[in-house]
Amino acid sequence: MSESLKILEFHYQNRTFTALEKHKAGVPVIGYTSNTVPIELIETAGFYPTLVDANITDFKGSDQYMEPVFDQRTKSIFHEILSGKWSFLNTLIIPRTSEAEHKLYLYLMEVKRLTNNPNIPEIYFFDLLHTQNPLSEAYGFEQMNLLDVFLRNQQKAIFSKENITTPYHLPIHLSNQIKNHLNQLAVYRYQSLLTGVEAMTIIGAMYFMDRKDYIQNLEIVLLEISVRKPMKNSQKLLVKGNCINHTDFHESLEKDGNIVVAEDDWWGSRAGGSLIEISENPLKNLFDKYYFHSPSPRVFPMKKAHEWLQNEILKGVDLVEFYLNKDDDVLGWEKFWVKELLG
Amino acid sequence: MSNTNEKQLKCTIEAAEYQKAWFTQLRKDVFEENKPYAITQADMPLELFSLMGLPVVSNQWWAAIISAKKLSGYYLDRRKEMGFSENLCSYCSLGLVGTLDDKPEIAPWGGLPKPAIMSARLTCDCIQRIFEIWAEKFGTTFYPLDSTANTALPPKWWQMSRNNWEQLFQPHRLDFMTKQLYGLIGELEKITGKKFNINELKTLMDGVNLQEEIFEEVCEMIATAPKSPVRMAEQISNVMTCQWHRGSEWAINHAKKFRDEVRYRVENNVAACENEQIRLMWVGAGLWHDTGFYTAFEEEFGAVFVWSMYLAFGPDGYIRYGLEDPMRTLASRIVSMNEQLHNPPWANEWMAHQAQKNRIDAAIVLIPKGTRPSVTGSYFITHALEKVGVPTIEIWADMVDGRNWNQQEMRDLIEDFIRNKVKK
């Protein structure tokens, strides 16, 4: 394994490492819980954005508040926030990517109200809707503007004597560079140059690293992958279902020689995709990307939600595998359409 | 000891007969006259459908009917056979499975005919999937209302919801919901060919307020009478039949009949259970597959279910004063219904308040694993009730799926709870 791949793997596994380093160095850190928060706005305001993620199984203490039917990731995040692991965050931004996140917001606010738990940071709820219609679009753009105002106010409160403002286009440019590289990685996956486990690690590290460091390492890793010989494999699989913040499922699928070439998931293939336009109105450009192109269980109608999948299966996928949490009550319904899509 | 199965109020029988006749007429109108109707979630603005002359079958009401007819087990087994997993929501999907199953000879009253429109608020993430599959099967339109989140959460919402609803539910959310309602009206106009009239909405909204004010009188009588004059199951039958037709002349008149019968019983010291010793609160949706549960503890313990959300939520959840813009007022009624009933801080604070007001001695909290939106917030509710001195027991069971419900075990569980935890 190359040094750069080791670095990406380290950050994929040590998810608070960079955020804590930044915090210790005096850089204020803002956490967010999923893919529909425009991290470019956080960077523009001078904060370090980090994905808040956790994957634990012992919920003692927090299980008095959160019922066991929540998915493991949501329960884990809730538990770790209450227990203080994320108390260094300046702010936690929770978007409405899923209803579970809306509930996470309400539960955290309620524990804070009832107990004054000092571990819970300031929380901002980003109410970006995902129904695709002009009303939701207008509402969402208003929410995007409000988030920007909130971050600017946070910026003023923290950096009163410094001018740390970054022009909007720099973080957007960085995002586009990363997306270009991830799109190249996606091509390599179909050429069987890397496993799904490797791909998940390489992509997932992005959420837990300084993005400039991430690009440097990603570029080296891509070069290394590009000269590999294709692996022999029996079937090319695409994974659909709940979001996957680990590699266990991919390992189980690939142990018999199959290869996972794509995921309908922001932890996997959907982290790349179309680039963000750069114009005189960067907020609108960001909004367009996050509103029209982000995967979310709340995207409606289903035809829109399945556009990506419909295109992807044309690339040579042999089988679609469903990943469903044991308590899933949402994505299981989609088997109905996927069967139809696949004929 | 009175027969616990008998209906003690004449109006309860009338309500059941009315609703059954209404549905029979609906089927006749749809099949024989080709008239349109709608299927919607219960938390939708039924007022608009009513005004536009489009009858509505509520998905939750239909699920309750399926369950009461002991058909939920059949449909949930069929769902599994169709390839769907066990964990998917049961309450919201029974009607869908009935349609996919397509056996009128098995479905209650011949099953649901094709609706002209289906509509739902997108609260839980499963709703859009259920309704989209359902609409596709019927070959009809699904019109969703998206659901925004309240970020100002004053705990005692019921003190603000009648007069200060603009502030409580946040202006930007009301703007959004109002626009969505106008969009829905556009669809309803296309279906019915009728022109929407805002003045008619105002009149209807006045009617809903009147109906809920009448229910409030009933709430006060139940809360203050020495013994509850009406069993909980009869409260639900009367209230919900009115709510499905809320604001209509029939609903207002029926609410009055209900109130008058309850008043007569209070004035004449007629109790639902003469032996009332313990006042129980039921937290959650109705246990539709075993409604006998609600009277099972009267004889031995004098333990009477006196409270469920169905009656109490009428006045606190529906009354809105200030009808200058009736569409905005209507938006305020539905925009946070889910948060009020199921999410912290609103659900827990309200339940604790209601428990104290109704002199509740113990509460039974239904946590239906198969209906996720009704699970969330349950622990906060339990904590809040315990905090105000109400012993609480949680039952992990489903309101419509009776397959894993062991009647005797559950009765034993509650009997132990009453013996050991409830003091009187």
Side-chain angles (χ1 to χ4, degrees):
Chain A
M1 189 189 287
S2 75
E3 194 56 34
S4 285
L5 191 54
K6 276 184 194 163
I7 289 170
L8 296 185
E9 190 174 275
F10 173 83
H11 288 286
Y12 183 68
Q13 289 168 352
N14 297 276
R15 297 180 178 185
T16 52
F17 182 84
T18 308
L20 282 169
E21 290 291 303
K22 294 277 183 187
H23 172 65
K24 282 177 202 160
V27 179
V29 180
I30 287 185
Y32 61 97
T33 54
S34 66
N35 61 313
T36 63
V37 174
I39 53 171
E40 296 81 0
L41 290 186
I42 301 174
E43 287 182 348
T44 298
F47 297 88
Y48 173 74
T50 190
L51 179 67
V52 173
D53 187 64
N55 205 359
I56 58 170
T57 52
D58 183 0
F59 305 108
K60 197 172 177 189
S62 63
D63 56 4
Q64 65 174 307
Y65 301 114
M66 185 169 269
E67 297 81 5
V69 295
F70 279 84
D71 62 276
Q72 189 178 348
R73 180 168 186 264
T74 304
K75 283 189 288 191
S76 299
I77 292 172
F78 182 65
H79 181 90
E80 288 201 341
I81 289 171
L82 295 195
S83 64
K85 191 170 176 183
W86 299 90
S87 58
F88 66 91
L89 294 177
N90 175 277
T91 303
L92 173 65
I93 301 176
I94 302 179
R96 204 196 179 92
T97 312
S98 64
E99 183 55 15
E101 284 173 274
H102 178 217
K103 297 288 197 306
L104 174 69
Y105 164 72
L106 292 171
Y107 278 43
L108 286 170
M109 295 297 284
E110 184 64 348
V111 173
K112 198 169 189 174
R113 183 181 79 90
L114 294 173
T115 69
N116 288 318
N117 184 330
N119 294 329
I120 303 173
E122 180 176 359
I123 302 174
Y124 184 91
F125 190 78
F126 179 44
D127 201 10
L128 181 72
L129 304 177
H130 298 282
T131 42
Q132 303 289 307
N133 61 56
L135 286 181
S136 296
E137 186 184 339
Y139 182 88
F141 188 49
E142 189 184 315
Q143 293 295 310
M144 184 73 93
N145 280 284
L146 287 172
L147 175 62
D148 190 46
V149 170
F150 169 79
L151 289 167
R152 295 290 172 177
N153 288 336
Q154 293 289 95
Q155 182 187 34
K156 278 181 204 158
I158 289 183
F159 307 102
S160 53
K161 291 180 184 168
E162 306 163 63
N163 181 9
I164 45 67
T165 301
T166 309
Y168 287 106
H169 74 267
L170 291 180
I172 294 176
H173 181 66
L174 201 57
S175 294
N176 284 343
Q177 274 185 288
I178 291 173
K179 285 180 192 307
N180 271 325
H181 290 321
L182 293 182
N183 292 341
Q184 182 59 54
L185 186 78
V187 173
Y188 292 158
R189 295 181 73 180
Y190 278 94
Q191 293 169 354
S192 302
L193 299 182
L194 72 159
T195 64
V197 171
E198 283 181 308
M200 290 293 281
T201 307
I202 293 166
I203 297 166
M206 173 182 67
Y207 298 114
F208 311 108
M209 291 179 73
D210 183 302
R211 298 204 301 158
K212 286 176 186 158
D213 294 342
Y214 177 70
I215 284 190
Q216 279 183 0
N217 288 288
L218 180 61
E219 284 173 347
I220 294 168
V221 167
L222 281 171
L223 273 176
E224 290 164 355
I225 290 172
S226 69
V227 295
R228 285 182 184 176
K229 286 183 181 167
M231 289 176 280
K232 288 179 183 170
N233 54 75
S234 50
Q235 289 198 101
K236 288 189 168 72
L237 312 181
L238 183 149
V239 173
K240 179 161 179 62
N242 299 116
C243 70
I244 310 180
N245 62 347
H246 56 78
T247 56
D248 297 352
F249 188 63
H250 286 62
E251 273 171 28
S252 69
L253 293 176
E254 293 182 328
K255 71 179 187 319
D256 297 324
N258 296 324
I259 188 166
V260 179
V261 293
E263 301 81 19
D264 191 355
D265 182 3
W266 54 277
W267 283 88
S269 306
R270 303 287 305 270
S274 61
L275 306 187
I276 304 165
E277 199 183 324
I278 299 178
S279 76
E280 293 299 306
N281 192 348
L283 271 183
K284 181 71 170 67
N285 299 141
L286 281 169
F287 172 74
D288 285 350
K289 174 65 184 171
Y290 282 90
Y291 174 68
F292 289 113
H293 300 291
S294 295
S296 153
R298 294 185 69 79
V299 172
F300 174 88
M302 280 298 124
K303 195 176 169 190
K304 168 74 180 172
H306 289 161
E307 263 175 14
W308 180 89
L309 179 67
Q310 270 185 303
N311 290 328
E312 200 70 12
I313 54 179
L314 300 175
K315 293 180 181 173
V317 172
D318 297 310
L319 195 66
V320 174
E321 280 283 349
F322 259 84
Y323 174 76
L324 298 177
N325 296 329
K326 69 179 172 63
D327 284 314
D328 167 74
D329 70 328
V330 175
L331 277 299
W333 288 110
E334 299 200 4
K335 285 184 177 179
F336 181 85
W337 283 288
V338 172
K339 275 182 193 166
E340 281 188 356
L341 275 177
L342 299 177
Chain B
M1 181 62 57
S2 64
N3 176 2
T4 52
N5 290 323
E6 74 177 355
K7 301 285 182 279
Q8 297 177 324
L9 277 60
K10 271 190 278 183
C11 59
T12 308
I13 297 163
E14 283 178 29
E17 284 173 352
Y18 177 84
Q19 189 66 0
K20 190 173 178 184
W22 172 83
F23 188 75
T24 305
Q25 186 62 43
L26 174 80
R27 275 187 62 86
K28 193 167 175 283
D29 288 346
V30 173
F31 283 121
E32 294 175 19
E33 309 285 332
N34 209 21
K35 286 185 181 172
Y37 87 106
I39 297 176
T40 77
Q41 286 288 84
D43 60 358
M44 285 288 290
L46 304 185
E47 292 83 349
L48 296 181
F49 293 82
S50 167
L51 272 184
M52 301 302 288
L54 198 64
V56 171
V57 168
S58 142
N59 188 23
Q60 282 67 30
W61 170 72
W62 187 246
I65 295 292
I66 288 173
S67 182
K69 304 248 175 227
K70 310 290 181 199
L71 283 168
S72 55
Y74 165 77
Y75 282 129
L76 293 170
D77 288 343
R78 283 291 296 127
R79 190 178 74 179
K80 195 176 174 188
E81 286 162 20
M82 291 171 195
F84 295 112
S85 53
E86 278 279 345
N87 289 323
L88 299 172
C89 182
S90 50
Y91 203 16
C92 294
S93 73
L94 278 178
L96 160 67
V97 180
T99 301
L100 293 176
D101 191 46
D102 196 20
K103 291 194 176 70
E105 68 277 15
I106 291 176
W109 307 329
L112 294 171
K114 176 184 170 178
I117 189 171
M118 304 182 75
S119 195
R121 285 179 63 228
L122 304 185
T123 49
C124 169
D125 296 345
C126 73
I127 297 297
Q128 64 203 66
R129 289 164 176 80
I130 290 172
F131 271 72
E132 229 184 319
I133 296 173
W134 205 355
E136 195 176 308
K137 177 70 181 170
F138 271 131
T140 195
T141 305
F142 170 42
Y143 194 90
L145 300 180
D146 208 341
S147 182
T148 58
N150 231 66
T151 47
L153 298 160
K156 298 186 191 315
W157 60 267
W158 62 93
Q159 294 177 351
M160 298 173 72
S161 59
R162 298 184 192 199
N163 293 297
N164 203 2
W165 46 264
E166 179 76 30
Q167 185 192 342
L168 177 64
F169 298 114
Q170 300 184 300
H172 68 283
R173 298 181 68 230
L174 295 175
D175 289 344
F176 178 70
M177 182 55 86
T178 304
K179 287 175 191 163
Q180 289 195 106
L181 295 186
Y182 275 112
L184 174 62
I185 284 169
E187 291 296 313
L188 301 182
E189 283 182 332
K190 276 188 237 164
I191 292 166
T192 61
K194 190 178 170 188
K195 190 77 186 155
F196 172 73
N197 182 328
I198 192 86
N199 294 324
E200 288 177 8
L201 177 61
K202 185 179 181 306
T203 304
L204 184 65
M205 295 287 284
D206 275 328
V208 177
N209 277 348
L210 174 60
Q211 176 190 314
E212 308 302 345
E213 284 161 0
I214 295 165
F215 285 148
E216 184 155 48
E217 291 180 55
V218 181
C219 288
E220 292 302 318
M221 286 189 269
I222 293 170
T224 55
K227 293 176 181 175
S228 178
V230 53
R231 287 196 171 107
M232 193 187 85
E234 292 200 56
Q235 296 173 26
I236 295 173
S237 297
N238 284 289
V239 168
M240 290 317 293
T241 309
C242 291
Q243 294 290 49
W244 303 135
H245 308 279
R246 58 180 171 265
S248 69
E249 191 181 344
W250 180 88
I252 294 167
N253 286 336
H254 190 82
K256 285 176 183 168
K257 279 186 192 174
F258 176 47
R259 176 200 60 194
D260 293 345
E261 273 199 75
V262 172
R263 181 183 287 153
Y264 175 85
R265 290 169 72 86
V266 171
E267 287 171 354
N268 291 278
N269 295 318
V270 182
C273 171
E274 298 290 336
N275 181 37
E276 181 183 302
Q277 305 289 320
I278 293 166
R279 293 168 70 86
L280 298 176
M281 177 181 214
W282 177 259
V283 178
L287 193 64
W288 307 122
H289 54 82
D290 184 12
T291 49
F293 183 80
Y294 295 130
T295 51
F297 314 102
E298 290 184 1
E299 188 167 342
E300 185 173 352
F301 301 100
V304 182
F305 280 96
V306 301
W307 190 96
S308 78
M309 64 177 174
Y310 294 99
L311 175 60
F313 192 69
D316 281 348
Y318 284 74
I319 292 177
R320 294 285 183 276
Y321 298 123
L323 292 171
E324 292 76 19
D325 180 352
M327 191 65 85
R328 194 170 182 83
T329 316
L330 178 62
S332 82
R333 181 176 288 155
I334 61 160
V335 74
S336 279
M337 214 174 251
N338 190 49
E339 286 95 327
Q340 287 163 295
L341 290 171
H342 299 295
N343 290 342
W346 287 356
N348 38 314
E349 286 288 334
W350 184 62
M351 301 279 179
H353 162 71
Q354 285 290 324
Q356 290 176 302
K357 183 179 170 183
N358 284 276
R359 298 137 47 214
I360 295 295
D361 298 305
I364 288 129
V365 181
L366 180 76
I367 309 185
K369 200 175 174 187
T371 305
R372 208 59 54 84
S374 300
V375 175
T376 54
S378 295
Y379 287 178
F380 284 107
I381 291 171
T382 302
H383 292 318
L385 289 169
E386 299 263 352
K387 197 175 166 189
V388 296
V390 176
T392 305
I393 185 168
E394 292 163 356
I395 300 179
W396 284 81
D398 201 87
M399 62 281 265
V400 291
D401 182 4
R403 289 175 301 173
N404 296 318
W405 176 259
N406 184 317
Q407 198 176 66
Q408 194 53 52
E409 266 182 27
M410 297 315 280
R411 280 158 173 70
D412 291 346
L413 183 74
I414 301 302
E415 285 175 8
D416 281 348
F417 167 67
I418 293 172
R419 276 192 201 99
N420 299 316
K421 303 277 182 180
V422 185
K423 291 174 187 166
K424 193 71 187 177

